[in-house]
Amino acid sequence: MQTRRDFLQKITGSVIATSLLPRMAQALPLTTRPYEGPVLRVAILGLGSYATRVADAMQSCTKAKLVGAISGTPAKLTAWQAKYNIPAKNCYNYETFDQVKDNPDIDAVYVITPNALHHDQIIRVAKAGKHAISEKPMAVNAKEGQEMVDACKQAGVKLLVGYRMHFEPHTLEIIRQRKANQYGKITFFQGLCGFRIGDPAQWRLNHALAGGGSMMDIGIYAVNGARYMTGEEPSWITAQETKTDPVKFKEGVDETIQFQFGFPSGATASCLSSYNMNFLDRFFLDGTDGYAELWPSTGYGPIKGRTNKGELDQPIVVHQTLQMDEFADILLEGHQPVVPVDGEEAIKDLKIIDAIYLAARTGQKIALNL
Ligand code: NAD
């Protein structure tokens, strides 16, 4: 009698490959099956420190692949070609990158340059007919943000923003629990975001390139977090700025801003954005029946969360790997994320930041209707 083992030993490798493997694959759990779906082919524009972090993380992506690079520095392009196996034909500089239009091997361009450059660069990407991904802040004010959204709409491409926390498991679990009413009626959010910034010559302290100071860079996490943690849009804003070092933090570059939101439900938020305080990376959400805390809340991780019921035990992920795979799902398969990552979402943050700066400048309480 022929046993199953005899049978398997007798048949050739090619038979296994052609007839048995597909059925074996069907029997495998989903996670061990090789991915066979569409892959998002991405070029990164601006090869600085965060771009390098994204490129490294993309090496572990399943659905997104780094295939191109755009830089003003030829040596960086050569180094990226070697490090990430990028073909020379997918490399451009800031003068030539509009030619990406004629490159069928690139689906999207991810802009990771200083904040004030995103506007023009994203519009050029849109005009080249490629999906556009911008780092945060998407622009330096809501007007420029709207122009970017309009350009992408007109070109028929999608615009996404690198809101990596929108895919982070602890964050999503708290949002799920809040939606399930586990915390009761939300009453208060606190967002503390800041670090002591170093080199005074860096672009982050140059208004022309940064569009502001700590608010644009790190305070935006508290702005955005206040919205996704409470599930509401602020209807009023107040803000106060303090500056201890006017030499380092020049006119138009905020060192520290405290800001407060009121929400239509009656909940409030109190937040702090600073370039001059360390260890600020904490979100706290309070409700009538419970609370949630993320601490650290927006750093590269590991993110830690707990609620009134105890520690959260969500998986620890590489934010940028997860983000790029999720972006592939959104751009190629029309997936809708739990918290939006599109240009309209970014414009809301920019309208709020515009209002925070206005409130800090004038001392007025600013009404908003987002
Ligand atoms: P960086 O200074 O390390 O890199 C900026 C890159 O832009 C460099 O390669 C630089 O050569 C290039 N560049 C092009 N034109 C330039 C010009 N005129 N002046 C200066 N540099 C120019 O900065 P980074 O930390 O990589 O930040 C880039 C963007 O990424 C910013 O918008 C920042 O807010 C965002 N960022 C996001 C995260 C996140 O977690 N999502 C983290 C860090 C930075």
Side-chain angles (χ1 to χ4, degrees):
M1 195 178 97
Q2 193 180 49
T3 64
R4 180 175 160 77
R5 182 181 294 170
D6 294 336
F7 170 72
L8 285 174
Q9 279 171 348
K10 277 180 195 152
I11 58 176
T12 65
S14 64
V15 173
I16 290 179
T18 53
S19 71
L20 267 188
L21 275 186
R23 275 187 289 132
M24 285 164 74
Q26 276 169 27
L28 288 172
L30 266 178
T31 46
T32 55
R33 273 192 222 166
Y35 176 72
E36 286 168 358
V39 170
L40 181 74
R41 299 160 307 167
V42 179
I44 291 183
L45 184 155
L47 311 182
S49 66
Y50 192 63
T52 304
R53 183 178 288 273
V54 171
D56 288 345
M58 284 186 74
Q59 304 311 304
S60 306
C61 281
T62 308
K63 301 172 178 178
K65 187 171 190 309
L66 176 64
V67 299
I70 299 160
S71 170
T73 312
K76 280 194 200 169
L77 287 174
T78 312
W80 274 51
Q81 283 173 33
K83 184 175 176 193
Y84 301 115
N85 199 20
I86 295 173
K89 71 167 192 62
N90 289 356
C91 291
Y92 301 88
N93 62 37
Y94 293 125
E95 282 72 48
T96 62
F97 82 80
D98 308 272
Q99 293 167 16
V100 77
K101 187 180 199 312
D102 304 315
N103 190 330
D105 299 328
I106 294 175
D107 303 310
V109 178
Y110 191 168
V111 171
I112 316 187
T113 50
N115 310 339
L117 308 181
H118 300 171
H119 171 265
D120 288 7
Q121 290 166 340
I122 288 285
I123 290 175
R124 282 173 69 184
V125 170
K127 285 187 174 159
K130 301 296 176 180
H131 294 308
I133 305 173
S134 171
E135 247 322 307
K136 46 60 50 180
M138 184 175 79
V140 294
N141 55 52
K143 178 179 168 291
E144 290 199 354
Q146 188 64 56
E147 288 165 4
M148 294 157 80
V149 167
D150 293 345
C152 289
K153 260 191 201 141
Q154 204 175 343
V157 299
K158 289 184 185 157
L159 170 58
L160 302 183
V161 180
Y163 284 123
R164 61 187 161 76
M165 302 318 296
H166 292 199
F167 307 107
E168 195 284 317
H170 298 78
T171 307
L172 288 177
E173 175 59 11
I174 291 175
I175 292 170
R176 188 195 67 74
Q177 292 187 4
R178 189 249 302 148
K179 285 181 175 170
N181 217 23
Q182 187 169 310
Y183 315 128
K185 181 173 156 40
I186 298 302
T187 52
F188 180 72
F189 170 80
Q190 184 189 45
L192 307 177
C193 295
F195 62 95
R196 280 174 73 87
I197 197 161
D199 178 14
Q202 64 185 288
W203 68 259
R204 281 182 168 78
L205 297 174
N206 172 350
H207 179 85
L209 286 169
S214 76
M215 240 352 277
M216 281 292 170
D217 190 37
I218 190 79
I220 190 170
Y221 285 98
V223 169
N224 192 247
R227 297 175 49 233
Y228 63 66
M229 293 288 278
T230 63
E232 287 197 87
E233 302 298 352
S235 50
W236 59 256
I237 290 173
T238 50
Q240 308 79 36
E241 180 175 0
T242 49
K243 195 171 280 204
T244 63
D245 187 347
V247 177
K248 186 168 183 179
F249 304 102
K250 298 190 177 53
E251 183 67 30
V253 179
D254 49 285
E255 176 188 318
T256 298
I257 295 185
Q258 299 193 55
F259 54 96
Q260 302 78 35
F261 296 160
F263 297 99
S265 68
T268 55
S270 173
C271 301
L272 179 59
S273 165
S274 182
Y275 262 164
N276 210 11
M277 296 179 202
N278 271 338
F279 314 115
L280 296 184
D281 186 5
R282 180 172 178 264
F283 284 179
F284 179 73
L285 185 69
D286 198 43
T288 51
D289 300 339
Y291 65 82
E293 179 190 62
L294 286 167
W295 191 10
S297 56
T298 66
Y300 297 139
I303 300 299
K304 283 195 178 145
R306 69 187 179 101
T307 73
N308 50 299
K309 294 198 170 150
E311 298 288 323
L312 292 183
D313 188 21
Q314 307 310 118
I316 302 299
V317 298
V318 177
H319 300 170
Q320 295 79 9
T321 306
L322 187 56
Q323 173 195 290
M324 295 312 292
D325 273 341
E326 295 277 349
F327 279 9
D329 277 345
I330 294 168
L331 293 176
L332 301 178
E333 314 220 55
H335 182 84
Q336 295 288 329
V338 173
V339 187
V341 285
D342 55 21
E344 273 86 3
E345 166 78 4
I347 287 178
K348 288 180 185 166
D349 282 346
L350 293 170
K351 282 184 175 167
I352 294 169
I353 292 173
D354 285 350
I356 288 171
Y357 281 136
L358 182 63
R361 217 169 38 242
T362 61
Q364 303 287 310
K365 183 177 185 176
I366 310 294
L368 270 187
N369 187 8
L370 291 178

